[in-house]
Amino acid sequence: SKIDILDIATLYGGVLATRRAAQMEAMAYHDPEIDDFITAKSNDNLNKHPNRYNSNNTIMCYTKPNMKWVGELLDYGTTNDAPAIMNVAAAQRRYEGCEGLNPCGEAIFPNCNLGEINATNLTSISEAKRLAHLLARALYRQTCPPFSDGILQKHWDRNLKNTRQIGVGLTNIVPANLRAAPLREIYRSVVIGGGTMAYDLGTPVPQGNTVVKPSGTMTKVMGGGAEGSHHPLAKYIFNNINFRNDDPILEVLENAGYKIINHPNKHDTVLVTFPISNINHAYKFKDIGNGVYIDAESVIDQLNRYLFLLRNWADQNVSMTVLYRKDEIPDIVAWLDKHWDEYISVAFMQRFEDYTDAKERFGYMPQVPVNESDFSKYINSIKDLNVDTLFNQNISADTEECNSGVCPVN
């Protein structure tokens, strides 16, 4: 069966992947096995087949689905892990070769070639336009080298040369509070940047230029808290990040006092807890007791931001995980019914206000809301990181071994 194929793919991925891999399975809405696909990651099936934790499942709709069925699927998703819903026709209007996406997928083109702008760091529209222009040119140049090196699959090179696709992305979008007119100006600078680079090189212009990706890691590297298109989950968060259990940086993190635990669902993976604070007047939080403040955005606010970015920025898709409560399902159904022709795909996920229930269901949560007191205690318990211990070899060219003109690899 196709569910057997899903199991084979996730088992292979769990063995072969050296990092947290994106294992994507998709099935057409009209497929005879669609009911089995929907329940493939039910709580009961995940207990029997833990390999399915790694599977990101999407239902591909080639025509508008029955909205009553959509509501039932969302209701099922409040107690089980349900697949996402993708509008294939809308994706193919943007790129006719699109065959599918992972649930929160941003890339409808066949290759990722992405860069990122931190929207909150921009001091003016002119600066943003210049940065977008230069980033587009840099990304375009990445499509130019040959990728047929005997190691990478040949279609990588073929797809890049056919589409010349680039993906200039934005992150920290919520606190930046960008309006449509300036956003379109920045978008035009991306198109001009990629187009002029193509003209200079005498090669085709990019078929796609812009995107909004999940940006969980990059946002933190850039010093922000609003990942991609998302509102922060809470004012104070313990962020549990996956690491391979043989990663050399774990010793450095442990010596600095970071909490490290075994991943409950992956035997070769550990979780390291990083403290993240999100203090900004643009964020909407509510107190759920014990001083814990969580995201108070409505599901419609989230979906409207998705549509705004789809209309004014993204040539591909906008990656978004939309959090919802059971009582918001009718609002989601009405929104999808109205905007189906534009909607491509988001990942719908139950909004948890009792995170004890979430931990029991999933084994752990990537982000756990905490109060300021617990956050401060953890901050005060960890030391500054000394990553220099990972790179403590001194390499000098002034050695006898270099006299032949070929230096040794140290």
Side-chain angles (χ1 to χ4, degrees):
S1 71
K2 292 172 184 174
I3 306 304
D4 292 332
I5 295 172
L6 182 151
D7 282 326
I8 292 169
T10 52
L11 286 166
Y12 263 119
V15 172
L16 298 176
T18 57
R19 61 177 289 275
R20 181 177 61 86
Q23 298 175 29
M24 298 170 281
E25 280 74 34
M27 184 176 287
Y29 170 59
H30 57 267
D31 193 283
E33 295 184 51
I34 192 64
D35 289 339
D36 291 335
F37 184 70
I38 290 171
T39 59
K41 293 182 69 176
S42 68
N43 299 331
D44 185 49
N45 275 327
L46 286 176
N47 288 330
K48 294 176 182 175
H49 308 279
N51 54 289
R52 296 182 187 177
Y53 274 104
N54 298 328
S55 176
N56 295 312
N57 297 345
T58 303
I59 298 172
M60 299 188 299
C61 299
Y62 294 87
T63 57
K64 187 174 182 178
N66 180 287
M67 286 296 141
K68 182 175 182 294
W69 172 85
V70 170
E72 291 169 351
L73 183 66
L74 290 167
D75 185 69
Y76 173 79
T78 62
T79 53
N80 295 272
D81 194 337
I85 306 168
M86 177 188 175
N87 181 352
V88 180
Q92 290 180 341
R93 282 194 290 272
R94 291 172 177 250
Y95 174 62
E96 63 181 5
C98 180
E99 296 179 344
L101 284 174
N102 65 317
C104 60
E106 72 280 3
I108 63 174
F109 282 78
N111 286 87
C112 293
N113 183 24
L114 309 176
E116 193 109 62
I117 295 172
N118 183 352
T120 55
N121 282 354
L122 301 174
T123 57
S124 66
I125 295 301
S126 60
E127 179 192 58
K129 290 166 65 175
R130 179 61 176 162
L131 177 59
H133 181 90
L134 293 174
L135 182 55
R137 288 176 66 87
L139 290 176
Y140 186 90
R141 291 177 70 89
Q142 292 179 189
T143 72
C144 298
F147 288 89
S148 298
D149 57 3
I151 298 174
L152 296 173
Q153 296 180 31
K154 292 181 179 179
H155 71 262
W156 281 35
D157 187 70
R158 182 178 64 250
N159 288 336
L160 270 177
K161 297 301 183 290
N162 286 342
T163 67
R164 298 287 174 168
Q165 169 252 327
I166 63 175
V168 176
L170 295 171
T171 191
N172 261 327
I173 292 168
V174 170
N177 196 27
L178 293 167
R179 297 291 186 250
L183 193 58
R184 295 296 295 178
E185 284 189 55
I186 302 169
Y187 170 83
R188 281 192 289 273
S189 294
V190 173
V191 176
I192 293 170
T196 54
M197 189 77 259
Y199 178 81
D200 291 346
L201 296 171
T203 47
V205 298
Q207 289 188 27
N209 296 277
T210 51
V211 73
V212 178
K213 59 191 187 71
S215 302
T217 302
M218 284 303 301
T219 304
K220 296 177 183 66
V221 170
M222 291 176 171
E227 303 165 357
S229 63
H230 302 95
H231 187 289
L233 185 69
K235 185 178 286 188
Y236 300 102
I237 291 170
F238 285 164
N239 205 157
N240 296 311
I241 306 294
N242 289 270
F243 286 80
R244 287 274 299 189
N245 56 18
D246 56 359
D247 194 316
I249 203 173
L250 289 175
E251 182 180 355
V252 179
L253 293 168
E254 186 174 24
N255 291 338
Y258 283 81
K259 181 181 177 182
I260 302 175
I261 62 171
N262 291 326
H263 195 296
N265 307 319
K266 300 176 182 179
H267 71 280
D268 59 352
T269 304
V270 297
L271 298 167
V272 181
T273 301
F274 291 87
I276 307 293
S277 64
N278 299 297
I279 310 299
N280 190 299
H281 70 276
Y283 300 147
K284 300 176 183 177
F285 295 119
K286 65 177 181 180
D287 188 347
I288 59 170
N290 196 30
V292 177
Y293 288 83
I294 68 168
D295 168 22
E297 267 201 324
S298 73
V299 71
I300 297 303
D301 285 344
Q302 296 170 71
L303 287 169
N304 283 341
R305 182 164 62 252
Y306 166 82
L307 190 62
F308 169 80
L309 293 167
L310 206 58
R311 288 173 172 174
N312 294 289
W313 179 259
D315 286 338
Q316 300 194 59
N317 190 29
V318 175
S319 178
M320 180 177 279
T321 299
V322 174
L323 303 177
Y324 71 100
R325 299 186 310 270
K326 192 181 181 77
D327 62 3
E328 291 179 303
I329 291 175
D331 295 334
I332 300 173
V333 172
W335 188 94
L336 286 172
D337 189 33
K338 180 179 180 180
H339 298 292
W340 179 257
D341 286 345
E342 293 180 271
Y343 166 86
I344 298 174
S345 177
V346 302
F348 286 104
M349 179 175 159
Q350 179 190 0
R351 183 192 297 276
F352 291 98
E353 297 191 4
D354 181 349
Y355 279 78
T356 302
D357 291 345
K359 186 176 180 180
E360 289 177 358
R361 177 170 155 189
F362 297 107
Y364 87 105
M365 290 299 288
Q367 296 186 348
V368 180
V370 295
N371 59 34
E372 185 177 6
S373 175
D374 290 342
F375 182 86
S376 298
K377 286 177 184 176
Y378 187 54
I379 285 281
N380 293 331
S381 72
I382 56 180
K383 307 170 188 174
D384 290 338
L385 287 175
N386 181 16
V387 294
D388 290 340
T389 57
L390 292 175
F391 312 101
N392 58 6
Q393 292 183 324
N394 292 319
I395 300 174
S396 174
D398 188 20
T399 64
E400 291 183 5
E401 292 92 337
C402 293
N403 290 337
S404 65
V406 180
C407 288
V409 178
N410 293 324

